[in-house]
Amino acid sequence: MNTFTKLSAVALCLMLCTNLSAQEQRRDTTKTSGEGSNRDLLMNAASASQPRQISLGLPISGNAYIYEDGLPVSYYNYQIYPYKSWHSGVSHESPATMSPQDMVLKYGIISYSVDSKSRLAGDKFEGRVNYTLNQFGRQAVDANLSTPIGKGWGISLGSYQNFDPGSNRMAMSYLMERTQFYKGSLSKTFADGRGKAGIIYQYSNFRNHIENFGPFIFVGDGSVKELDGFKLGRDSYRPADTYIQYLDVATGQMAEQHVDDANTDKIHNVNFVLDYDLDNGMKLAVHSKYKNGSSYRANPSISGVTTATAETGFTYEDGTPYAGMVQNRRYLHFDAFEESWMTNASLSGISSNRRHSWMVEADYWLNHAGTHTSMWMASHEVKKDPKLLYLNGQSGRAYNSYAEYYHGHEHKLFAFASDEWNVTDRLWLKAGLRLEYLNVRGRAANDVTPGNARHTGFSLAEAGVQPNKINDSHFNHAYLVSARYALLDGFGLQAEYNSATIHSQLFHYGTYSYPSQKGITSNYFRGGIFWKNRWIDLTSQITYIEQKNAQERPNFSHVLTRDANGMKAGQEENLTMFTYYDLATLGWLTDAVVTPFKGFNVHVMFTVRNPQYKNFKLTPTFSDGVTEEHDFSNNNITALSKTELEIEPSYTFDKWRIWLSARYFSKQYINKTNSLYFNGRWETFGGVDYKLNDHVSFAGSIVNILNQKGASGSITSADLVTDPTPYKNYVMAGTFIRPFTVELTTRLTF
């Protein structure tokens, strides 16, 4: 890869840089399918409200990236997550997918992203209303009205309302998700089709309980079976308690909050957009966004399942001793905010000989953000509608032994340029360069001050705790080079190389460990053949992706050998620690759209790869003084399949459209030692659309046609073990995909 990097840098110096889409290229002979357009990020087997994530061979963290009107929906892809103030619906034009090449320049990372554009008023009145329901009681209404008001001006108003009780109805809250979006815009359409300008306001109130957890029996051969008396995906696995109690990391006092309020985001967005065609044929685009949002989040993650005896100390609320299986959970109560301003301006054009399509863009982003994150452990029964369990008379324990705090500003100034060059009718080249200055300032409670060490009862009000100042600056960079050569019309060779280096951002400072100041570098190469004609659009490529100095906060479990940290010997302790390592994945990807006859097409994508940890050594020390040494280098990355297959046929005739989508994921390892794994699984979708007339249409769809459980997750107590024998017929808890779900949508257009 070093030789290739040097050659890439030389090529970069020889070329101008732009980023105009393939539709504006001069010749068809060098075009291939926009592979981003084949990736449907909106069809998610795990959630009805979030885009899905697509792995390029590295672990997926956070949520899918989402762009709206030329800028990210959220400054960070963390805490105030993008999906909390965005949805795909009638207030947007049809969303698209940004490829890794797009994201390298726009965001400085190698990933896929959803790209969307708000629907502004046109030259006539338009109305759109969608109404969706499913058999579990979900109802969603999505509406948008737009109208001209004279002299090129127009207004657009929209609202999205979602009422979703979920498939596993929870006793603690009537709705698993309650979404309220209100959107309005004022726009100006310029004469002679020169473009549009608009200002868009949106308010979102998003309440969401992430509770797709349940217990099941891990057989030991990669398969799972249901635990007697519990229907995965249908039964509730949360106690009915409607209030949570936590030790406020800011004040050091016990606090209480209703569970609905503790999982609510309230966000204001104001966007300005300008797209204008200049007299000289160039295009000017200006986008600006102000966001002000607050977020409470207290969704507990699953920890290990243990067994309690009468002597362990677990009781019900009334003091009755409890013996049996215990589900442990880790709660993180986020009290966070984001106030950001992001602006960019771009200029693009085509050279006089029509062979160069260029683009330059400059961005300035400013973010004021912070969080107080309180933490505690809690437990409940392992059964349907479980009751909360008390340990030594307390509903929670280990308060703030892992807590987060940061408050500050982040300045980001960057620019990028790219060029697409049709050298000849058969040779096409592209290059792009992105340079970024990043400054992080603020306060946190890191290990630069010994008094900031986390322990049970930690708070910022505690004597000896001294939040430290942050003032770090870095230069990030990213670049890409790619080429296609047509050996024959519609058939040829192609290759691309993307590289991106980023440094720690403000939210990385929340933990006790001061984040690494080393750059995290990702490199992505793929190359192979393309073949395109009237009935097939195919690419088949070797892929290689690596990441240096990856950061993670893994959670490990250990059975205490003696009393320590307020816990008794024999109890399970969970330890979260900061660690750094490398990753690398070599693979082969084939992506094809076949259209054998009019109205019918099938999209097929097949991936084979070998995702591995590199330079990954770990030495966790637990409260009882036990230190373990582990080396995961060359082990397979957990939760990533070596083989993936997507098959998506679609047939349109008369007023009908019938479609199916099936995705296969081969076995995934549960723990970093690779001693335990889940067998492969399918995610299946299908539907029928019917257009009654130009104003009314209907859509019926099914999620999880095969009604697979889709169980996944980890066994925290087994993450460090090498002998799988104790985990045969082992009761664990994990996540699941949505059960068999039928959705019906009525669409009105007027």
Side-chain angles (χ1 to χ4, degrees):
M1 297 301 291
N2 290 337
T3 301
F4 190 91
T5 303
K6 294 176 181 178
L7 292 174
S8 302
V10 172
L12 195 61
C13 295
L14 295 175
M15 297 177 61
L16 293 172
C17 300
T18 73
N19 188 35
L20 217 56
S21 66
Q23 289 97 327
E24 295 182 292
Q25 294 177 28
R26 180 173 176 270
R27 295 286 186 261
D28 289 338
T29 52
T30 55
K31 292 182 186 176
T32 61
S33 65
E35 49 83 32
S37 65
N38 295 334
R39 314 305 300 270
D40 191 345
L41 273 73
L42 301 179
M43 200 156 49
N44 188 348
S47 171
S49 61
Q50 303 176 30
R52 71 180 176 118
Q53 301 158 297
I54 296 176
S55 171
L56 292 168
L58 297 179
I60 297 174
S61 60
N63 293 268
Y65 292 89
I66 305 174
Y67 266 68
E68 183 178 40
D69 298 322
L71 287 164
V73 172
S74 294
Y75 186 94
Y76 293 135
N77 200 39
Y78 176 75
Q79 187 45 47
I80 304 183
Y81 296 111
Y83 68 85
K84 295 182 176 183
S85 57
W86 181 92
H87 75 101
S88 174
V90 297
S91 293
H92 287 97
E93 297 180 7
S94 297
T97 302
M98 285 200 289
S99 70
Q101 276 203 353
D102 300 324
M103 288 293 284
V104 161
L105 298 179
K106 296 288 289 183
Y107 204 83
I109 61 170
I110 300 173
S111 174
Y112 286 97
S113 171
V114 174
D115 190 19
S116 61
K117 186 176 181 180
S118 293
R119 189 182 299 278
L120 302 179
D123 58 3
K124 62 180 181 179
F125 174 82
E126 292 183 315
R128 294 173 175 83
V129 180
N130 289 353
Y131 173 61
T132 301
L133 55 86
N134 68 21
Q135 81 269 32
F136 298 116
R138 179 189 178 224
Q139 298 187 68
V141 180
D142 190 11
N144 183 262
L145 301 175
S146 63
T147 183
I149 55 177
K151 297 183 179 181
W153 291 91
I155 58 174
S156 180
L157 300 173
S159 178
Y160 174 71
Q161 305 290 324
N162 185 36
F163 306 81
D164 189 358
S167 62
N168 52 335
R169 295 178 180 269
M170 303 175 298
M172 66 176 190
S173 179
Y174 172 65
L175 294 173
M176 179 171 286
E177 180 181 312
R178 173 69 176 102
T179 305
Q180 303 176 65
F181 287 169
Y182 304 94
K183 193 171 189 176
S185 67
L186 174 66
S187 60
K188 167 70 173 178
T189 301
F190 300 110
D192 303 322
R194 284 182 174 269
K196 281 187 177 182
I199 187 166
I200 307 156
Y201 169 76
Q202 177 178 282
Y203 170 73
S204 57
N205 187 310
F206 183 84
R207 186 177 78 229
N208 179 224
H209 298 285
I210 302 175
E211 188 49 41
N212 60 332
F213 300 116
F216 48 84
I217 298 174
F218 178 74
V219 178
D221 58 358
S223 64
V224 300
K225 61 182 180 181
E226 287 191 343
L227 185 68
D228 288 344
F230 193 95
K231 296 180 180 179
L232 198 64
R234 299 298 302 272
D235 290 338
S236 171
Y237 199 49
R238 280 284 291 275
D241 303 76
T242 56
Y243 284 86
I244 59 171
Q245 292 83 33
Y246 59 96
L247 181 68
D248 193 313
V249 69
T251 65
Q253 303 295 317
M254 291 299 297
E256 184 177 76
Q257 191 175 24
H258 192 281
V259 70
D260 283 343
D261 297 333
N263 290 285
T264 296
D265 290 61
K266 298 178 180 179
I267 302 168
H268 301 267
N269 283 302
V270 181
N271 286 34
F272 171 77
V273 296
L274 169 65
D275 294 287
Y276 191 78
D277 294 348
L278 303 175
D279 290 334
N280 56 9
M282 292 190 293
K283 297 177 182 292
L284 172 67
V286 178
H287 308 99
S288 189
K289 176 187 180 73
Y290 172 76
K291 178 174 185 174
N292 188 309
S294 62
S295 174
Y296 283 110
R297 181 162 60 94
N299 287 306
S301 59
I302 291 291
S303 188
V305 174
T306 58
T307 301
T309 64
E311 292 75 30
T312 306
F314 281 104
T315 66
Y316 292 107
E317 184 178 8
D318 62 4
T320 303
Y322 174 79
M325 289 187 293
V326 175
Q327 175 64 69
N328 300 302
R329 291 203 185 214
R330 186 181 73 158
Y331 281 77
L332 291 174
H333 178 273
F334 292 87
D335 181 355
F337 72 93
E338 175 188 322
E339 185 178 19
S340 60
W341 175 52
M342 296 179 280
T343 297
N344 64 36
S346 66
L347 194 65
S348 60
I350 302 175
S351 64
S352 58
N353 63 5
R354 311 292 295 176
R355 289 195 175 275
H356 288 277
S357 298
W358 56 268
M359 180 178 184
V360 292
E361 179 175 308
D363 288 62
Y364 176 67
W365 297 1
L366 169 64
N367 186 36
H368 177 214
T371 186
H372 296 89
T373 305
S374 305
M375 172 269 177
W376 70 101
M377 296 293 297
S379 302
H380 60 73
E381 299 173 294
V382 180
K383 58 182 292 188
K384 174 183 176 181
D385 299 322
K387 291 183 178 180
L388 186 67
L389 296 176
Y390 287 64
L391 180 61
N392 301 324
Q394 301 294 320
S395 61
R397 59 188 184 276
Y399 289 104
N400 293 344
S401 56
Y402 174 83
E404 294 186 5
Y405 164 72
Y406 67 84
H407 190 126
H409 291 80
E410 182 173 314
H411 299 261
K412 187 180 291 188
L413 176 65
F414 65 89
F416 69 82
S418 64
D419 181 55
E420 296 184 9
W421 179 19
N422 282 289
V423 184
T424 69
D425 289 351
R426 295 194 177 277
L427 177 62
W428 175 91
L429 301 175
K430 178 178 179 179
L433 174 65
R434 182 184 197 272
L435 299 175
E436 174 183 289
Y437 170 73
L438 172 70
N439 175 255
V440 180
R441 296 184 182 185
R443 294 173 66 82
N446 304 128
D447 55 8
V448 295
T449 303
N452 294 339
R454 305 298 194 263
H455 56 84
T456 297
F458 172 86
S459 78
L460 300 175
E462 188 179 2
V465 175
Q466 294 291 331
N468 52 284
K469 292 184 178 180
I470 305 166
N471 190 354
D472 293 324
S473 296
H474 300 285
F475 286 96
N476 296 327
H477 66 274
Y479 66 90
L480 65 91
V481 290
S482 62
R484 287 201 295 270
Y485 184 74
L487 299 171
L488 303 169
D489 287 350
F491 178 82
L493 306 175
Q494 64 181 16
E496 70 175 73
Y497 180 76
N498 305 291
S499 180
T501 297
I502 61 174
H503 288 80
S504 294
Q505 296 183 267
L506 179 60
F507 70 88
H508 288 114
Y509 290 80
T511 60
Y512 174 56
S513 300
Y514 200 88
S516 171
Q517 299 303 294
K518 296 180 180 179
I520 303 172
T521 299
S522 300
N523 299 305
Y524 179 47
F525 167 80
R526 58 183 175 183
I529 65 168
F530 67 87
W531 180 23
K532 183 176 182 178
N533 56 39
R534 64 176 182 80
W535 66 273
I536 191 169
D537 188 350
L538 175 145
T539 60
S540 186
Q541 304 176 90
I542 298 295
T543 66
Y544 178 79
I545 190 168
E546 64 177 5
Q547 188 174 87
K548 301 289 188 181
N549 198 36
Q551 302 181 23
E552 186 182 351
R553 304 169 189 172
N555 185 37
F556 298 106
S557 292
H558 167 72
V559 178
L560 295 175
T561 59
R562 60 179 178 83
D563 295 352
N565 198 23
M567 301 176 67
K568 294 182 179 180
Q571 291 183 3
E572 182 184 75
E573 180 184 43
N574 289 277
L575 173 67
T576 301
M577 60 183 297
F578 219 83
T579 186
Y580 308 92
Y581 54 89
D582 301 335
L583 308 108
T585 299
L586 178 65
W588 172 49
L589 168 66
T590 297
D591 193 342
V593 177
V594 181
T595 308
F597 54 88
K598 183 180 179 181
F600 178 80
N601 71 72
V602 57
H603 171 225
V604 179
M605 190 179 68
F606 179 67
T607 304
V608 178
R609 61 191 178 201
N610 186 31
Q612 291 184 326
Y613 294 112
K614 302 291 183 181
N615 304 316
F616 193 178
K617 295 183 179 180
L618 204 63
T619 55
T621 299
F622 298 92
S623 297
D624 56 1
V626 175
T627 298
E628 300 178 354
E629 295 185 3
H630 301 274
D631 187 354
F632 304 126
S633 303
N634 298 320
N635 285 5
N636 289 279
I637 299 172
T638 59
L640 280 181
S641 298
K642 288 188 174 183
T643 302
E644 293 185 8
L645 173 66
E646 292 189 22
I647 305 174
E648 298 174 320
S650 172
Y651 181 47
T652 302
F653 61 98
D654 194 23
K655 297 181 178 182
W656 297 85
R657 176 176 176 262
I658 303 173
W659 61 274
L660 292 170
S661 177
R663 306 172 191 148
Y664 173 73
F665 301 87
S666 66
K667 78 174 182 180
Q668 297 181 349
Y669 287 100
I670 297 174
N671 55 357
K672 291 181 172 62
T673 58
N674 291 174
S675 60
L676 301 171
Y677 59 88
F678 284 117
N679 289 333
R681 73 176 193 275
W682 285 91
E683 294 179 356
T684 48
F685 308 80
V688 177
D689 301 340
Y690 175 71
K691 185 177 181 180
L692 180 64
N693 53 44
D694 291 340
H695 303 290
V696 181
S697 63
F698 304 94
S701 64
I702 299 176
V703 178
N704 197 359
I705 297 172
L706 301 179
N707 200 25
Q708 290 208 326
K709 301 306 177 186
S712 62
S714 63
I715 305 175
T716 54
S717 61
D719 211 13
L720 304 177
V721 305
T722 56
D723 180 13
T725 305
Y727 297 93
K728 291 183 178 180
N729 295 317
Y730 180 85
V731 176
M732 63 174 290
T735 60
F736 54 84
I737 61 177
R738 287 186 283 168
F740 180 88
T741 303
V742 178
E743 292 185 343
L744 300 176
T745 299
T746 300
R747 301 188 178 103
L748 305 178
T749 304
F750 50 91

